[in-house]
Amino acid sequence: MNGSRQQRLRVVIVGGGIIGCLTAWYLARRGAAVTVLERGRAGMESSWAGAGILCPIHPWLYPDAFTELVEASLALYPELSAELHHLTGISTEWCRSGLLIPEFAEDRVSHREAALAWSARFEWQVESLDASALHLAEPLLSKAAEGGLLWPDVGQVRNPRLLQAVRVAMLQAGVELREGADVVGPLEENGRVCGVLLAGGGRLQAEQVLLAAGSWSGELAGQFGLKLPVEPVKGQIVLLKTMPGTVRHIIKHDDAYFVPRTDGRVLVGASMERVGFARGTTDAVVDSLLAAAYRIVPALQQAEIERQWMGFRPGSPDGLPYLGPVPGKPGLWVASGHYRNGVALAPITAELMSGWMLGEVPKMELSAFRIGRPLQASEDVGLPDKGD
């Protein structure tokens, strides 16, 4: 596609989370005229609420295509973070803090064999730790832990800072951001989607429309005549304030995860609740997370409980995102359903979708993420049972 065509291309992105905003920035840098529409405040839903772990939970349970997508995305983070810092002065606090899975005698599931096999196949550095090495790496971990696995290269970002930086960068690049804009359906002409209809009768024309509305994508897709099984999965998080170094690594366990920030704060998360759009935190879930925290890292009992919050992950039945053009609806694209991996997958999603929408052939095989793919639900990586 030549430069003059790119300059004229008008794109509307429905959804102002990390996927929508980062894709908008990438498109604008390449000459597209981009408008981001957000029904609330940009970046204040799942993208803001997440913990910023740059590694999927139990990646060995996913198909290989997913790991390849994750690896391509994580490889972009160092340069992306540096560029955002240079352009905006905002640090994403990207760092490699390592990821540790401790093992206890009472664990319901052992991930060791599958995790080691996956790590060897994809050449992820992993260390198998006995009890002594485990407590040397994480001194305040419960003495009941008998060993564990450590991936030293796994990183994290601070989600709110990442979103702030991307917002500033995309606005600097000329993206128009409209907050409080409620999309109610498509504009269509000659069998092609050519824009969107807004609540109150507004119309916005574009050559390409991207649905990237997170947990609301399934509901919104229905207004576009598209069946897209993306549902909200509520997650609650507790923020503890303690001394730096209390927790040294990202710690994952089946009962909770812990993400240490450089200032000593520790995020403890996160529940998996299929309860629709029921907002607010609940005492039962917060108490459960704290009980897991105190059991796994007893020193956290001395930490101050600073706050708690929740967000809605955009879940899909198989845990995989939907990426690409919508069959039978030219002009309409989807980038949604990233579930627990939106922040980890944001850079590669933005890179692939922006190029694809500008007429390039994707550099990766993406059939595993196509809209309308056959679905095989998985309780391990996909939507949890309702009421869980």
Side-chain angles (χ1 to χ4, degrees):
M1 183 176 290
N2 62 45
S4 62
R5 173 57 181 157
Q6 288 187 21
Q7 195 66 37
R8 294 194 301 268
L9 185 75
R10 294 170 299 173
V11 179
V12 166
I13 296 178
V14 184
I18 187 60
I19 300 295
C21 288
L22 196 57
T23 304
W25 179 40
Y26 281 28
L27 282 163
R29 288 195 302 178
R30 300 179 62 179
V34 188
T35 300
V36 174
L37 303 176
E38 167 56 47
R39 68 193 303 174
R41 289 181 58 201
M44 292 305 296
E45 294 292 347
S46 177
S47 301
W48 176 89
I53 302 171
L54 298 182
C55 177
I57 295 175
H58 306 151
W60 43 89
L61 299 177
Y62 290 85
D64 288 357
F66 178 79
T67 294
E68 291 163 3
L69 195 68
V70 167
E71 290 187 319
S73 197
L74 299 186
L76 299 173
Y77 253 108
E79 184 177 346
L80 171 63
S81 295
E83 183 176 10
L84 286 170
H85 194 197
H86 172 73
L87 291 173
T88 70
I90 300 170
S91 171
T92 68
E93 296 193 16
W94 174 85
C95 66
R96 290 189 176 96
S97 51
L99 174 112
L100 179 68
I101 294 183
E103 298 167 328
F104 296 83
E106 66 271 19
D107 284 345
R108 300 181 299 277
V109 178
S110 173
H111 300 283
R112 173 174 286 269
E113 185 175 339
L116 288 173
W118 173 86
S119 299
R121 193 150 54 88
F122 288 99
E123 299 182 344
W124 280 50
Q125 183 182 353
V126 61
E127 300 171 14
S128 180
L129 308 178
D130 61 16
S132 176
L134 176 72
H135 291 102
L136 187 63
E138 200 64 65
L140 298 181
L141 196 67
S142 168
K143 298 305 181 184
E146 300 179 336
L149 297 173
L150 173 63
W151 289 265
D153 294 334
V154 170
Q156 61 164 286
V157 291
R158 205 154 182 165
N159 293 24
R161 293 177 180 271
L162 173 65
L163 288 157
Q164 290 168 12
V166 172
R167 179 184 177 125
V168 171
M170 76 171 185
L171 294 176
Q172 287 177 348
V175 173
E176 179 187 11
L177 172 62
R178 298 190 192 180
E179 297 177 311
D182 195 4
V183 174
V184 296
L187 280 174
E188 297 184 84
E189 185 176 320
N190 299 323
R192 181 179 181 86
V193 174
C194 59
V196 296
L197 297 169
L198 303 173
R203 300 158 64 93
L204 188 60
Q205 292 188 316
E207 284 80 38
Q208 309 278 16
V209 174
L210 174 64
L211 297 185
S215 295
W216 288 264
S217 295
E219 174 185 293
L220 185 61
Q223 298 170 338
F224 280 72
L226 169 65
K227 184 178 181 181
L228 189 72
V230 173
E231 298 181 28
V233 179
K234 182 177 176 179
Q236 300 186 44
I237 287 180
V238 182
L239 181 66
L240 303 179
K241 186 177 181 181
T242 186
M243 294 296 294
T246 301
V247 176
R248 297 181 177 181
H249 304 85
I250 300 166
I251 300 175
K252 284 186 183 177
H253 186 265
D254 285 345
D255 294 334
Y257 62 66
F258 311 87
V259 183
R261 303 304 198 199
T262 55
D263 59 11
R265 288 174 170 83
V266 178
L267 279 72
V268 180
S271 62
M272 297 283 291
E273 304 167 61
R274 199 173 171 193
V275 292
F277 288 105
R279 289 192 177 273
T281 58
T282 57
D283 290 344
V285 169
V286 170
D287 289 346
S288 176
L289 291 172
L290 289 173
Y294 301 157
R295 184 175 67 256
I296 296 168
V297 185
L300 291 178
Q301 294 180 69
Q302 309 305 317
E304 175 189 347
I305 301 171
E306 189 165 295
R307 61 180 299 201
Q308 54 257 352
W309 64 84
M310 49 72 59
F312 297 116
R313 310 174 187 85
S316 64
D318 57 8
L320 303 181
Y322 293 96
L323 303 174
V326 176
K329 289 188 176 292
L332 182 61
W333 301 73
V334 171
S336 190
H338 291 71
Y339 204 12
R340 293 177 279 187
N341 303 296
V343 171
L345 289 174
I348 193 62
T349 298
E351 182 176 280
L352 290 170
M353 293 303 300
S354 60
W356 206 351
M357 295 174 75
L358 290 169
E360 297 178 3
V361 176
K363 63 182 182 181
M364 300 181 66
E365 171 56 51
L366 297 175
S367 59
F369 314 107
R370 69 185 183 278
I371 291 85
R373 64 179 178 266
L375 293 172
Q376 184 173 355
S378 169
E379 292 183 4
D380 292 319
V381 297
L383 292 168
D385 291 335
K386 288 188 176 179
D388 283 5

